[in-house]
Amino acid sequence: MMLPSRTAFLTLLAGILVTSVQAQKAAPTAKPYSAVGKQVQVYTTANNTALHLTATDKLTFKEVGQPLETQPTVFVDPNHTFQTMLGIGGAMTDAAAETFDKLPKAQQQEFLQAYYSPTAGIGYTLARTSIHSTDFSSGSYTYVADNDKALKTFSVKHDQQYRIPFIKQAQAAAGGKLTMYVSPWSPPAWMKDTKNMLQGGKLLPEFRQTWADYYVKFIQAYEQQGIPIWGLTVQNEPMAKQKWESCLFTAEDERDFVKGYLGPTLKKAGFSSKKLIGWDHNRDLMYQRASTLFDDPEASQYYWGLGFHWYETWTGSAMQFDNLRRVHETYPTKNLIFTEGCVENFQFSGINDWKLGERYGNSMINDFNAGTVAWTDWNVLLDETGGPNHVGNFCYAPIIGDTKSGKLLYTNAYYYIGHFSKFIRPGAKRIATAASRDVLQSTAFLNTDGKVAVVVMNSTDQEQPFQLWIKGQAAAASSRPHSIMTMVIN
């Protein structure tokens, strides 16, 4: 009786294997990308010219042989893809909202189109805002009465004057959707050991649950105002004692707060889908933070990824992109998001400094090439003083709203960011790119509509001719001195 059963089993197994092989053969394979017959539209921003995101050259691919060492080349390979783009945008702070409110209606509409229209502007799709006050507020405030541990007095009425209407207008200009995440700078003073929202201090253990509840209350309040919240960071700059709103969390403090309080509280509130972002500080210490948060399974389950800033330069260091790569290669299932960057020490006389944009271009190219999925500038708008800021910490924004003249002043940072945000859209996948000359920095993405966007930056004083090369097809191009170009391949 055993033999027929065994034979039947083997026959059945053979049938399954044949069917499986046939199914594998029948499955469609991705067609390799080819540049044959494709056109390239070049958009350029360059110093000492009138070119600002200007459509300049139209290029054509032609068949070429093996590139020579003497031929400067930017290689692009759309057949190898990496992370998927979430979005690019900036922070919608109290300072930005208050400055916006002071502008004439025509300039308000110009501003909204400039940032949020994907056709008339640079197509921002991402935004960050704060849980109560930051340095870029006209003063310190919270959403509850002092010592209200039950949070019965919680209200975002303060934000209804400037910030909430500002965000809703930006949402509308962006086509009805803006991916929004939120960050706290400090718990209310009465929850801290210093009894002060400013100058660092730490969250008192007895208020950990109250503080976790506060995040939930904020998300609920903003969503009731018609502002969906995609995610949140645990604490802005948790290792910096600042003269403005700040609060210190060691890596262990953050880990334990998230796994014991914030993570479970978000889950209980039905907010498990909200993306929780750790660190939210500079690249210098980010590996140590990542290892502490993500090597603990209880804490790691709540984290979507790690946020980072670019201010490690305050120590005299260059931007530490290798630290991003270490985190990405060690924790490939966690996401990287640039959560804040600006050029500090505002001077009105410096708004035409070309280095403003080049700092953005350098960071964005290297951050994306290291695996970053989203990139958020700091204030989208500031006034002619680099504020308002209640502790005098004035800095640059890509657009300055001159409230005295009523005009908008565009720094080249606006155009440099636009070379990415306008042409690399949500859902795009980064593709392989490499340049044969160090004067050419590049990154490239394949958009969902099939268009390839290649960004090439030259921060030197010399023009650099090169060829854009894809699998034996090349298009001749040239990078102007101190320029950034986006090459869109149709």
Side-chain angles (χ1 to χ4, degrees):
M1 294 296 291
M2 292 297 293
L3 186 58
S5 298
R6 187 167 182 268
T7 302
F9 171 74
L10 291 173
T11 302
L12 177 63
L13 180 61
I16 291 171
L17 289 171
V18 169
T19 303
S20 175
V21 170
Q22 288 174 340
Q24 288 176 22
K25 286 182 178 178
T29 55
K31 187 178 179 181
Y33 186 92
S34 172
V36 175
K38 287 188 166 60
Q39 301 290 312
V40 184
Q41 176 63 65
V42 181
Y43 298 86
T44 305
T45 297
N47 194 19
N48 297 319
T49 72
L51 303 176
H52 296 101
L53 271 173
T54 305
T56 49
D57 312 292
K58 283 194 174 181
L59 312 177
T60 303
F61 283 99
K62 64 178 182 179
E63 189 171 351
V64 296
Q66 165 69 47
L68 303 176
E69 291 176 298
T70 53
Q71 293 176 293
T73 304
V74 173
F75 301 97
V76 176
D77 188 353
N79 297 313
H80 294 278
T81 62
F82 305 95
Q83 79 272 20
T84 301
M85 174 65 73
L86 170 68
I88 297 171
M92 309 195 73
T93 58
D94 287 326
E98 290 171 30
T99 301
F100 178 82
D101 187 71
K102 293 176 183 176
L103 293 172
K105 293 295 181 186
Q107 278 64 44
Q108 289 182 348
Q109 291 306 307
E110 178 190 336
F111 169 88
L112 293 168
Q113 289 293 302
Y115 267 127
Y116 299 101
S117 169
T119 51
I122 61 173
Y124 270 12
T125 56
L126 183 66
R128 181 191 191 207
T129 199
S130 65
I131 298 176
H132 60 233
S133 64
T134 74
D135 47 331
F136 281 92
S137 302
S138 292
S140 295
Y141 64 90
T142 72
Y143 301 126
V144 294
D146 284 354
N147 303 309
D148 177 14
K149 190 173 182 179
L151 306 181
K152 291 180 180 179
T153 58
F154 191 96
S155 170
V156 294
K157 185 178 179 180
H158 173 279
D159 298 357
Q160 290 172 342
Q161 183 176 6
Y162 298 116
R163 201 193 327 166
I164 288 172
F166 178 52
I167 291 172
K168 293 183 84 167
Q169 288 184 72
Q171 277 181 325
K177 185 186 177 188
L178 200 54
T179 301
M180 173 70 73
Y181 67 100
V182 302
S183 305
W185 266 241
S186 171
W190 52 272
M191 293 189 193
K192 297 171 67 178
D193 58 358
T194 55
K195 305 303 178 189
N196 186 0
M197 288 179 70
L198 318 184
Q199 300 288 344
K202 301 191 78 168
L203 176 67
L204 289 166
E206 59 264 34
F207 290 118
R208 287 181 294 194
Q209 185 58 57
T210 305
W211 185 224
D213 292 337
Y214 200 101
Y215 297 72
V216 168
K217 290 273 192 183
F218 178 81
I219 293 170
Q220 290 170 336
Y222 260 56
E223 293 198 332
Q224 286 167 6
Q225 293 288 324
I227 302 172
I229 303 302
W230 167 84
L232 66 159
T233 72
V234 179
Q235 168 64 45
N236 178 72
E237 299 185 347
M239 288 306 296
K241 178 184 176 181
Q242 306 285 26
K243 62 181 180 180
W244 53 86
E245 287 83 343
S246 45
C247 185
L248 302 176
F249 281 77
T250 65
E252 292 76 16
D253 289 338
E254 181 185 339
R255 176 198 66 198
D256 295 345
F257 174 60
V258 164
K259 73 178 180 180
Y261 298 90
L262 184 55
T265 301
L266 290 167
K267 185 176 181 180
K268 185 178 178 182
F271 288 157
S272 295
S273 64
K274 307 300 183 191
K275 305 301 188 281
L276 187 61
I277 300 162
W279 187 223
D280 199 8
H281 204 168
N282 300 328
R283 300 183 189 93
D284 48 6
L285 302 181
M286 66 185 297
Y287 185 86
Q288 181 260 348
R289 183 69 51 145
S291 64
T292 305
L293 304 182
F294 301 154
D295 286 348
D296 185 305
E298 284 186 75
S300 182
Q301 65 177 316
Y302 296 112
Y303 282 103
W304 173 82
L306 212 68
F308 63 96
H309 301 181
W310 73 16
Y311 308 113
E312 65 267 24
T313 53
W314 77 272
T315 64
S317 170
M319 292 186 188
Q320 294 183 279
F321 303 114
D322 275 349
N323 288 351
L324 286 179
R325 297 182 183 96
R326 293 298 84 76
V327 171
H328 185 55
E329 68 189 11
T330 308
Y331 305 98
T333 63
K334 298 299 185 184
N335 296 282
L336 292 171
I337 175 172
F338 183 89
T339 47
E340 185 184 318
C342 73
V343 178
E344 309 97 320
N345 303 315
F346 179 85
Q347 297 290 329
F348 189 82
S349 60
I351 62 174
N352 293 317
D353 188 341
W354 204 256
K355 290 181 181 177
L356 295 177
E358 290 185 336
R359 183 167 178 179
Y360 279 85
N362 179 54
S363 181
M364 296 179 82
I365 288 170
N366 284 281
D367 291 337
F368 290 136
N369 287 345
T372 298
V373 304
W375 210 95
T376 330
D377 185 30
W378 187 208
N379 301 276
V380 290
L381 178 69
L382 291 172
D383 68 17
E384 67 278 3
T385 70
N389 184 295
H390 71 89
V391 290
N393 181 37
F394 302 118
C395 71
Y396 291 88
I399 299 179
I400 299 297
D402 187 342
T403 59
K404 293 179 180 178
S405 69
K407 294 180 180 179
L408 294 176
L409 307 174
Y410 295 79
T411 75
N412 73 320
Y414 167 82
Y415 301 105
Y416 269 68
I417 296 170
H419 275 274
F420 301 86
S421 61
K422 188 175 180 68
F423 304 106
I424 302 167
R425 305 300 294 163
K429 288 187 178 295
R430 184 172 65 86
I431 57 179
T433 181
S436 69
R437 295 291 187 276
D438 64 353
V439 301
L440 299 174
Q441 296 187 56
S442 66
T443 192
F445 283 77
L446 174 63
N447 283 290
T448 56
D449 63 2
K451 293 181 180 179
V452 169
V454 184
V455 180
V456 178
M457 183 173 116
N458 174 3
S459 58
T460 75
D461 295 333
Q462 303 300 317
E463 183 165 0
Q464 179 62 67
F466 68 96
Q467 59 179 347
L468 180 67
W469 191 98
I470 300 178
K471 295 294 182 184
Q473 296 284 315
S478 191
S479 176
R480 293 171 171 84
H482 293 286
S483 73
I484 188 167
M485 56 200 295
T486 303
M487 311 175 80
V488 179
I489 305 169
N490 291 298

